[in-house]
Amino acid sequence: MSSIHEDLVKSLNSKQEAYVNMELPDPTNGEYLLGVFHIVPGGKFNVLQAAAEVAAESSTGTNFKVNTETPFSRTMNALVYQLDLERELVWIAYPWRLFDRGGNVQNILTYIVGNILGMKEVAALKLLDVWFPPSMLEQYDGPSFTVDDMRAYLNVYDRPILGTIVKPKMGLTSAEYAEVCYDFWVGGGDFVKNDEPQANQDFCPYDKMVLHVKEAMDKAVKETGQKKVHSFNVSAADFDTMIERCEMIVNAGFEPGSYAFLIDGITAGWMAVQTLRRRYPNVFIHFHRAAHGAFTRPENPLGFSVLVLSKFARLAGASGIHTGTAGVGKMKGTPKEDVVAAHEIQYMSAEGHFFRQSWSKIPETDKDAIAIVNEDIAHHVVLEDDSWRGMKKCCPIVSGGLNPVRLKPFIDVMGNVDFITTMGSGVHAHPEGTQAGAKALVQACEAYLKGVEIEEYAKDHEELAQAIDFFTKAAKDAM
Ligand SMILES: O=C(COP(=O)(O)O)[C@H](O)[C@H](O)COP(=O)(O)O
Ligand SMILES: [Mg+2]
């Protein structure tokens, strides 16, 4: 330990001391969930004292040492085990036996990004990265129905799944809504999502919307000979209404695989996400993250990162979660943040901001075994002994101000095509309407796959040419 660190340790009071161990022998021994926070003390405490207060409040403790502690309760203390004074970072190890058994993600968040975000002792506190030991991962659901299942249903491989969000966001009747879906599907698109506020509005009753979408899908499938998917927002006021919405969809005669359930995971809550994952293991669970900016925006000193949110979504069993456009679209986001998060949920192991996470039990050094597990898990091979070997992937859903012109730039930063993209304005603002917007998107994707510049491809693809004209001009005007 450096002398500065030694002085900081000496400054701790007797309560704080119990939440610091700068010589923790092996934080990755499987007993701890690890977290790295950016921290700036807010009150009278120095950084280590403030970090110890954070570790206390987010595990067993409170503002004073209490006389009801037991030797066992002390073994459940979270421990500050590393500091980076220059970068204002602190590493905390949480014994994961603290957490509710039964794979409850909500409970973990109540500890590690709970009360502590409101503490006076901190002026800045942001959870930048987390690490789950494989022994802990095994206790959580993880995704069941994955994007690979959706790809098999759609018969779409080796390219992004091309989707839209119906716009206007709100105000269409159920029949008008379904007509927009139809137009997108016959234009060649794969996937349509309700915009996340779409629910049971008086001018667009939920039951009618579902039935009209079913008709529109049947018609589009018949005409195009291609399968289609619709993601329905099932977020609701209470459990019963959410399930009622799911059952309405299940019973509307849709083919299994042709519908997804969208849940606004932050406003509706983690319990809603996990309920859907457990009740409907054969449905794609689409985690929309409205309000995440309150926690994740880099300029906000309090909260957690997109990476942390995305890792918890995989743990909770979302089949896909929005991970952002890495600055290519309209929402705030950078490659460093969004692409790292996307890769973390796609792969069996990936580099986060501070930790390398493996989502499998097999040591990463065993490269052959990892490759087999990746295959097995991707393709749902039922393991003979039914044992847990890894957590299935969660699909990045990429949305927010994208349009056909921005597809390739996004793929270039993303580095792969294993994602779903949903373009709202990027499709419906096309001067010739939704069908043309869908065609332009398909053409932009074809150009990418053929390695041809879109401007070149547009020479004999009219809809793409119109999209390039329109969106390039719109981007210039916006400057
Ligand atoms: O409705 C939209 C985008 O519409 P449009 O395509 O017209 O911009 C989505 O709700 C946002 O993308 C969510 O943001 P994020 O994906 O970053 O969570
Ligand atoms: Mg939206």
Side-chain angles (χ1 to χ4, degrees):
M1 227 192 310
S2 74
S3 65
I4 307 176
H5 285 187
E6 271 171 23
D7 290 346
L8 286 170
V9 170
K10 277 188 207 140
S11 74
L12 298 171
N13 66 30
S14 71
K15 184 202 82 179
Q16 291 162 351
E17 264 170 17
Y19 294 95
V20 175
N21 181 354
M22 300 298 279
E23 255 128 40
L24 189 64
D26 183 9
T28 57
N29 68 1
E31 288 172 27
Y32 302 100
L33 174 152
L34 306 178
V36 175
F37 291 86
H38 174 244
I39 184 169
V40 177
K44 56 188 182 330
F45 293 131
N46 67 38
V47 65
L48 188 59
Q49 290 167 332
E53 294 293 333
V54 166
E57 183 63 42
S58 56
S59 59
T60 58
T62 177
N63 52 332
F64 291 116
K65 181 172 163 62
V66 293
N67 295 318
T68 40
E69 275 184 13
T70 66
F72 177 75
S73 78
R74 279 192 284 273
T75 67
M76 292 293 106
N77 290 0
L79 298 167
V80 175
Y81 70 93
Q82 198 176 315
L83 271 180
D84 179 332
L85 294 172
E86 217 162 282
R87 291 190 291 166
E88 302 173 316
L89 300 173
V90 58
W91 280 250
I92 300 182
Y94 295 87
W96 65 266
R97 280 180 74 193
L98 274 172
F99 307 135
D100 187 20
R101 300 317 291 259
N104 177 358
V105 168
Q106 163 279 325
N107 181 261
I108 307 176
L109 296 169
T110 294
Y111 285 99
I112 70 169
V113 284
N115 289 351
I116 53 172
L117 297 182
M119 283 169 63
K120 279 184 186 160
E121 286 80 1
V122 291
L125 187 66
K126 195 141 191 176
L127 182 56
L128 301 175
D129 200 353
V130 282
W131 182 79
F132 312 122
S135 48
M136 177 187 158
L137 284 175
E138 195 175 355
Q139 307 293 322
Y140 290 77
D141 300 342
S144 169
F145 191 96
T146 69
V147 67
D148 292 320
D149 299 305
M150 190 186 283
R151 286 186 178 287
Y153 179 74
L154 287 168
N155 194 24
V156 165
Y157 303 94
D158 305 322
R159 66 159 171 87
I161 292 177
L162 304 177
T164 193
I165 309 162
V166 173
K167 305 278 172 175
K169 197 191 284 278
M170 199 48 60
L172 298 182
T173 64
S174 36
E176 289 164 344
Y177 176 91
E179 207 179 311
V180 179
C181 299
Y182 168 82
D183 281 342
F184 180 74
W185 284 324
V186 292
D190 308 305
F191 178 99
V192 180
K193 97 180 232 302
N194 277 155
D195 214 335
E196 62 284 353
Q198 173 102 40
N200 185 29
Q201 278 82 2
D202 62 47
F203 48 81
C204 187
Y206 203 89
D207 53 351
K208 284 206 175 130
M209 183 267 295
V210 170
L211 294 178
H212 281 293
V213 168
K214 168 79 173 60
E215 276 171 26
M217 186 185 281
D218 287 348
K219 210 165 142 221
V221 169
K222 209 166 159 203
E223 285 171 27
T224 60
Q226 295 158 343
K227 301 283 189 192
K228 306 290 177 187
V229 175
H230 189 280
S231 181
F232 290 95
N233 179 28
V234 297
S235 312
D238 59 61
F239 171 86
D240 293 329
T241 313
M242 178 176 83
I243 298 298
E244 213 176 275
R245 287 180 184 173
C246 295
E247 288 301 301
M248 208 186 279
I249 296 154
V250 171
N251 296 321
F254 284 98
E255 234 175 45
S258 69
Y259 56 88
F261 292 154
L262 183 150
I263 183 78
D264 229 331
I266 294 179
T267 53
W270 292 86
M271 197 168 125
V273 176
Q274 291 205 263
T275 300
L276 292 175
R277 157 65 181 86
R278 290 178 179 189
R279 288 234 158 180
Y280 299 101
N282 297 319
V283 177
F284 187 94
I285 308 301
H286 177 166
F287 188 134
H288 189 275
R289 55 178 189 162
H292 78 93
F295 307 97
T296 62
R297 285 180 75 125
E299 63 269 48
N300 179 354
L302 297 151
F304 45 82
S305 64
V306 171
L307 175 65
V308 167
L309 171 65
S310 308
K311 289 185 81 166
F312 276 108
R314 182 171 180 174
L315 196 71
S319 309
I321 181 171
H322 290 240
T323 47
T325 62
V328 177
K330 75 180 179 189
M331 308 296 253
K332 197 109 177 163
T334 60
K336 187 169 177 279
E337 187 69 20
D338 297 355
V339 175
V340 167
H343 289 178
E344 185 75 79
I345 60 173
Q346 290 181 309
Y347 297 132
M348 235 345 113
S349 62
E351 208 64 65
H353 300 316
F354 296 91
F355 300 113
R356 184 170 182 84
Q357 178 73 56
S358 167
W359 296 86
S360 164
K361 232 170 25 181
I362 296 167
E364 269 197 69
T365 42
D366 195 343
K367 293 221 175 348
D368 293 342
I370 283 279
I372 292 167
V373 170
N374 271 326
E375 278 288 294
D376 283 357
I377 289 170
H379 298 104
H380 284 211
V381 172
V382 178
L383 305 176
E384 267 168 38
D385 56 0
D386 204 26
S387 61
W388 187 93
R389 291 208 278 167
M391 191 166 269
K392 287 184 195 170
K393 59 156 111 160
C394 173
C395 179
I397 301 172
V398 180
S399 165
L402 290 184
N403 62 55
V405 176
R406 290 180 174 169
L407 181 68
K408 181 180 182 296
F410 178 76
I411 296 174
D412 289 344
V413 250
M414 176 73 165
N416 69 57
V417 293
D418 198 12
F419 61 90
I420 300 172
T421 180
T422 53
M423 301 186 183
S425 62
V427 165
H428 312 293
H430 190 287
E432 296 301 319
T434 297
Q435 260 192 53
K439 283 184 187 158
L441 175 56
V442 171
Q443 290 161 3
C445 188
E446 286 167 1
Y448 174 80
L449 295 173
K450 291 183 173 151
V452 178
E453 291 299 324
I454 48 171
E455 289 75 13
E456 185 57 35
Y457 204 65
K459 286 183 183 156
D460 46 12
H461 292 88
E462 196 188 346
E463 294 82 4
L464 183 58
Q466 290 160 336
I468 296 172
D469 268 2
F470 177 82
F471 290 110
T472 316
K473 182 167 181 308
K476 277 195 195 124
D477 290 350
M479 304 279 277

